[in-house]
Amino acid sequence: LMFFLLRNIIKKDYFWKDYDYIRKTNNYKKHTMNNVSAIESNLLNNDITGNQRFVSALIDYLPILVLSCITMGFFFYEFIAFMNKMPFSRESTDNQTEIFNTTFIFIEKMLFYASINIIITYGYLLCKDLFGGQSIGKRNKGLQLVRCKSHEPVSNIRMVIRNIFCMFWFIELIMIFANPRQRLGDIVCDTTVVAANESNKQLYDKKKVIFTIIIVLVIITLFSYLYYKGMSTYFNFYFKMIEQSNTFQ
């Protein structure tokens, strides 16, 4: 359903095109339809491979891997502290209450770390291509994100929506090798990845990039907060129900 809705919304080119952004590039004339055939012939001579896309994606995901290792370190540290504080004797009601309280505090900390991880991870993934249509991996492997047919620069909002589909990483990985130019997000947003050269080099407006990053982070933080509060409320209710059940027994 999300795929269908985004695909149909993005087809409304009058809503997504950023003409000021295109005019500010050095190669605006090369993005007109009169020169599309010349650009396409140039791109065919600089075809990209699935290995290039895979290595590019691997480089892009390295910061996420490092962040995950750091988060797991915090999880392990909190788990050790939790086990040291846990009263294993259940002979009295006071001990049972202490067990529930200690467990709930531990779960709240885990949810907090998970929420921070979500903000940083998805903030990075959604905004990684905003700097001229090139992420860290694409810049390293000499790749460039452009519009599929016209080869125009890609607007910021289109780049962000394209990267939402990174959460379906397994499908994306398969599609990278099946079609190195387009993964699932590219198909939805009508974009493609090509070999970077002077004809498709994109400039970017720093103010617009910063504004887009702020908006993305605000939205992700809101969702992350709702996730944290929702799960925290659920576990609080769950432990209270168990405590009341044990009291009645």
Side-chain angles (χ1 to χ4, degrees):
L1 179 60
M2 181 175 66
F3 179 93
F4 175 78
L5 290 175
L6 290 176
R7 179 63 177 166
N8 281 274
I9 291 173
I10 290 173
K11 283 183 179 179
K12 308 296 184 181
D13 285 339
Y14 63 86
F15 181 77
W16 295 99
K17 280 188 177 179
D18 189 347
Y19 291 102
D20 291 333
Y21 175 77
I22 297 172
R23 291 191 181 97
K24 287 179 182 178
T25 63
N26 292 331
N27 305 294
Y28 171 69
K29 293 181 180 180
K30 295 180 181 180
H31 294 297
T32 60
M33 293 305 296
N34 294 331
N35 293 297
V36 167
S37 59
I39 295 173
E40 287 180 340
S41 63
N42 186 27
L43 295 176
L44 289 174
N45 294 328
N46 297 280
D47 204 7
I48 63 175
T49 64
N51 289 335
Q52 283 180 292
R53 288 299 308 275
F54 176 74
V55 174
S56 171
L58 191 62
I59 294 172
D60 287 337
Y61 277 93
L62 278 178
I64 305 301
L65 180 62
V66 173
L67 177 63
S68 298
C69 291
I70 294 173
T71 305
M72 289 303 297
F74 279 110
F75 282 178
F76 184 72
Y77 172 80
E78 291 295 342
F79 180 73
I80 297 287
F82 164 70
M83 294 301 292
N84 290 333
K85 293 179 181 178
M86 176 66 74
F88 289 99
S89 174
R90 300 188 180 184
E91 295 178 356
S92 66
T93 305
D94 291 337
N95 276 347
Q96 289 182 359
T97 302
E98 188 177 352
I99 289 172
F100 288 134
N101 291 336
T102 305
T103 304
F104 180 70
I105 291 172
F106 168 72
I107 291 175
E108 269 203 324
K109 288 182 178 180
M110 294 300 99
L111 290 173
F112 175 76
Y113 290 139
S115 300
I116 297 298
N117 195 13
I118 289 171
I119 294 171
I120 298 174
T121 298
Y122 283 97
Y124 166 76
L125 285 177
L126 295 180
C127 300
K128 64 185 179 67
D129 292 316
L130 291 179
F131 300 92
Q134 288 184 309
S135 61
I136 299 172
K138 290 185 184 69
R139 200 174 297 275
N140 181 268
K141 300 305 293 183
L143 303 176
Q144 176 69 51
L145 182 67
V146 296
R147 291 294 303 275
C148 192
K149 295 180 180 179
S150 62
H151 303 289
E152 295 175 350
V154 182
S155 63
N156 291 345
I157 188 66
R158 192 180 288 268
M159 291 182 194
V160 171
I161 293 178
R162 170 186 180 271
N163 288 328
I164 290 176
F165 293 87
C166 286
M167 66 180 69
F168 307 113
W169 62 269
F170 185 74
I171 299 174
E172 297 271 80
L173 183 62
I174 295 174
M175 295 189 70
I176 281 176
F177 287 101
N179 181 8
R181 289 186 179 277
Q182 285 190 305
R183 56 177 176 82
L184 182 60
D186 291 309
I187 295 173
V188 174
C189 293
D190 192 32
T191 57
T192 185
V193 175
V194 298
N197 52 51
E198 288 300 319
S199 66
N200 55 39
K201 185 179 180 180
Q202 298 180 20
L203 298 180
Y204 57 91
D205 188 330
K206 291 182 180 179
K207 291 183 179 179
K208 285 186 178 181
V209 169
I210 293 173
F211 178 75
T212 305
I213 291 174
I214 291 173
I215 294 299
V216 169
L217 288 178
V218 167
I219 294 173
I220 295 174
T221 302
L222 177 61
F223 276 100
S224 182
Y225 175 77
L226 293 175
Y227 163 78
Y228 170 77
K229 293 300 292 183
M231 295 299 292
S232 179
T233 303
Y234 166 76
F235 281 110
N236 187 28
F237 175 76
Y238 177 73
F239 283 125
K240 283 184 178 179
M241 290 292 292
I242 293 178
E243 190 175 0
Q244 289 177 1
S245 177
N246 291 336
T247 302
F248 288 139
Q249 290 179 359

